Amino acid sequence: MAFGKIYLIPNVISEGTQTDVIPEQVKSTILKCDFFLVENIRTARRYISSLKLGLTIEELRFEILDKKTSFEECVDLIQPILQGSNVGIISESGCPGIADPGARLVHVAHQFGITSIPIVGPSSILLSLMASGFNGQSFAFHGYLPIDKKERQLRIKQLERESKEKDQTQIFMDTPYRNEQLLADILKSARRDTFLCVARDVTGDKEQIVTKPVNKWKVNDMSLKKIPTIFLIYAN
């Protein structure tokens, strides 16, 4: 029996934007899938429902794939694929496998010879880089910075040094309720001539992407409270 396939299905970054940012290929791909691996079943159901595919959402099969999913659990999850079923991995936001637990299952699947097919869709990380004006030939995404204030400021200085030494764009984020605190720490820790890009609500109706030197930024230049935001620094 031929193996099934894994389809990496992008989700919206900002709610209500599916008609603008989700390509038709996503819709046809969802119809090929026998079940779905998701971080949150409720939000995944709502997303698929918003695409208006004529599916009975209650009849769809979902399994949890999140940051707590172990290697052994991933092996269990791919068993139906080895029996010929197609599975769709849907991230909570953006593209599966990029800062997303879906990468772990795809890695396991490769060890069994299962094919993974990425579907084009929005990624706040890449879209922010595109709009920043920073080096797109060499860049690194670091996820969340330390919660402790002193450790976070030291990490910012370290990333700034790496940016200058490697001519590399450094990309990171935080939970939305800590965005303004992170911005304040960047402005306190980074050199005045280092460039900072703040990308707020990418693809959403409050989208704002601004790049300028640290010495031109003020903490209250942009309202970031509870709004998903990507930060990028570039020291040249």
Side-chain angles (χ1 to χ4, degrees):
M1 178 183 292
F3 294 167
K5 294 181 174 63
I6 295 174
Y7 292 95
L8 303 170
I9 299 172
N11 199 342
V12 293
I13 300 170
S14 185
E15 283 194 26
T17 59
Q18 58 271 14
T19 57
D20 296 322
V21 303
I22 299 299
E24 287 297 315
Q25 185 187 8
V26 167
K27 298 180 181 181
S28 60
T29 298
I30 287 175
L31 295 174
K32 295 178 185 177
C33 295
D34 299 296
F35 70 104
F36 301 91
L37 300 177
V38 302
E39 292 182 77
N40 184 295
I41 293 176
R42 183 177 62 85
T43 56
R45 281 178 172 158
R46 189 168 67 230
Y47 169 55
I48 294 177
S49 179
S50 75
L51 298 177
K52 304 186 184 308
L53 303 176
L55 297 170
T56 302
I57 301 302
E58 291 74 21
E59 294 178 356
L60 299 180
R61 176 185 164 194
F62 297 89
E63 301 285 349
I64 294 293
L65 172 63
D66 59 19
K67 62 183 180 181
K68 297 179 182 178
T69 304
S70 67
F71 174 87
E72 291 75 18
E73 289 170 326
C74 285
V75 173
D76 289 339
L77 289 171
I78 67 171
Q79 293 309 305
I81 309 172
L82 296 173
Q83 299 301 314
S85 295
N86 292 324
V87 62
I89 297 180
I90 302 178
S91 175
E92 273 292 276
S93 175
C95 297
I98 302 178
D100 173 79
R104 184 179 302 116
L105 184 126
V106 171
H107 179 73
V108 172
H110 277 296
Q111 314 313 307
F112 288 81
I114 295 170
T115 298
S116 295
I117 301 174
I119 309 300
V120 173
S123 165
S124 59
I125 299 165
L126 295 180
L127 291 172
S128 299
L129 176 63
M130 289 166 61
S132 70
F134 294 166
N135 190 353
Q137 300 267 18
S138 178
F139 55 91
F141 177 66
H142 301 277
Y144 294 86
L145 298 195
I147 295 176
D148 179 79
K149 186 178 183 69
K150 183 178 287 188
E151 291 180 10
R152 186 167 58 244
Q153 291 178 355
L154 288 173
R155 182 65 171 145
I156 291 166
K157 291 179 181 293
Q158 179 187 18
L159 295 180
E160 183 182 48
R161 286 195 300 271
E162 289 180 8
S163 177
K164 186 171 182 63
E165 291 168 1
K166 300 177 180 179
D167 187 26
Q168 184 178 72
T169 302
Q170 307 294 335
I171 310 171
F172 48 91
M173 61 189 293
D174 211 327
T175 55
Y177 67 87
R178 283 201 298 262
N179 280 337
E180 293 179 349
Q181 186 178 356
L182 175 55
L183 176 58
D185 284 335
I186 295 170
L187 301 186
K188 180 177 181 179
S189 306
R191 295 193 337 251
R192 292 172 58 80
D193 60 348
T194 289
F195 278 88
L196 167 66
C197 175
V198 179
R200 179 189 76 175
D201 193 30
V202 176
T203 75
D205 58 5
K206 294 181 180 178
E207 179 181 275
Q208 192 175 3
I209 303 174
V210 177
T211 293
K212 52 188 176 181
V214 164
N215 65 351
K216 300 292 185 182
W217 275 99
K218 293 187 174 109
V219 174
N220 59 0
D221 277 354
M222 194 185 296
S223 177
L224 303 176
K225 192 173 184 180
K226 297 183 179 180
I227 301 176
T229 303
I230 300 291
F231 298 85
L232 308 89
I233 58 174
Y234 184 58
N236 56 9

